[in-house]
Amino acid sequence: MYKTQKDILDRIEQSNLKAFSTYDFLDLGNYKSISKGLELLEDEGHLKRARRGIYYKPSFNKTLGIECPPSINDIAEAISRQYNWDIIPSGNHALNLIGISTQVPSKIIYISNGPYREYDVGANKIIFKHSTTREISSISKRILISIQALKEIGKENVTDRQLKMINRFLDSKDKETINSGIRTTSWIYDALRRSICIQ
């Protein structure tokens, strides 16, 4: 095994990344050597390819005896790092992450500060929709996901049950941020304020 391959594997073992691209390892060598290292690690069975340029280390559920691939969210995050985009789960995917919806959509939508792009990953399609920097701001991802979830629900359809689930999704720091004031549509901000008060 070449040194570059070993360095890549060591980095993977030390990180929490479930999926990754060449760009996650460019401090270990030039683009060509890292790309070749990843390809060799795939050929040797250490890594698998999720799609072109995106890899993951296989893990297995011993109880079920099956391989556990990375989530679509892990793959989307790897793609976003590859192109240096900021992304936020949107639509039904945001509802799914919070727990408001149990349906796993076949089209996973993210808003992004990059261009519009679509990627096929297995049976799923990942869609990145360009959005304004206002929607992808410096506040936490949990707050931004909650905002996208509320947009998907709609002003007239928000229930106390949904707000309670948003309350559980947000951490104490998020709630302090919301209480201090954030820039978003007035009805969404009102709903977020209600959510942090709900028990």
Side-chain angles (χ1 to χ4, degrees):
M1 182 182 290
Y2 296 110
K3 182 178 185 302
T4 301
Q5 292 171 264
K6 185 178 184 306
D7 289 344
I8 291 171
L9 281 180
D10 287 345
R11 170 69 57 80
I12 291 168
E13 293 295 340
Q14 292 163 13
S15 78
N16 292 320
L17 297 179
K18 301 294 190 297
F20 28 81
S21 76
T22 308
Y23 290 82
D24 290 315
F25 307 99
L26 285 183
D27 59 318
L28 303 176
N30 61 46
Y31 181 88
K32 188 175 180 180
S33 67
I34 297 300
S35 292
K36 187 62 177 176
L38 288 167
E39 287 176 12
L40 289 171
L41 287 169
E42 181 194 8
D43 291 342
E44 294 166 5
H46 297 287
L47 302 180
K48 288 201 171 184
R49 191 190 304 245
R51 56 157 282 107
R52 184 180 177 185
I54 304 297
Y55 298 84
Y56 65 95
K57 185 173 182 183
S59 62
F60 295 88
N61 184 309
K62 292 181 180 178
T63 305
L64 298 176
I66 58 173
E67 182 184 309
C68 301
S71 70
I72 288 294
N73 204 56
D74 291 326
I75 294 170
E77 290 285 354
I79 293 171
S80 74
R81 292 193 305 275
Q82 185 177 26
Y83 296 111
N84 198 28
W85 299 338
D86 294 315
I87 63 171
I88 301 297
S90 184
N92 199 53
H93 186 38
L95 298 178
N96 186 264
L97 289 173
I98 293 172
I100 293 171
S101 170
T102 56
Q103 293 182 339
V104 180
S106 59
K107 290 184 178 180
I108 313 295
I109 300 172
Y110 294 82
I111 59 170
S112 158
N113 57 1
Y116 183 96
R117 289 286 187 273
E118 292 187 8
Y119 298 95
D120 291 317
V121 180
N124 299 103
K125 186 182 289 291
I126 300 176
I127 300 172
F128 297 100
K129 291 184 174 181
H130 178 75
S131 189
T132 61
T133 52
R134 179 182 173 184
E135 287 194 278
I136 305 174
S137 62
S138 58
I139 57 179
S140 82
K141 272 202 171 183
R142 286 177 300 272
I143 295 176
L144 292 170
I145 291 170
S146 299
I147 289 171
Q148 292 302 312
L150 288 166
K151 284 184 178 182
E152 181 69 9
I153 294 166
K155 181 179 179 180
E156 306 303 324
N157 301 316
V158 179
T159 66
D160 284 350
R161 175 182 168 276
Q162 292 164 339
L163 293 179
K164 186 177 288 188
M165 296 185 88
I166 289 173
N167 178 301
R168 291 173 184 165
F169 181 69
L170 298 168
D171 68 18
S172 57
K173 190 173 180 181
D174 297 327
K175 294 171 186 177
E176 288 174 11
T177 301
I178 291 167
N179 199 43
S180 298
I182 59 171
R183 290 181 62 192
T184 187
T185 310
S186 59
W187 78 262
I188 289 178
Y189 181 61
D190 289 343
L192 289 172
R193 286 291 301 273
R194 281 167 52 207
S195 78
I196 64 175
C197 296
I198 248 177
Q199 299 298 322

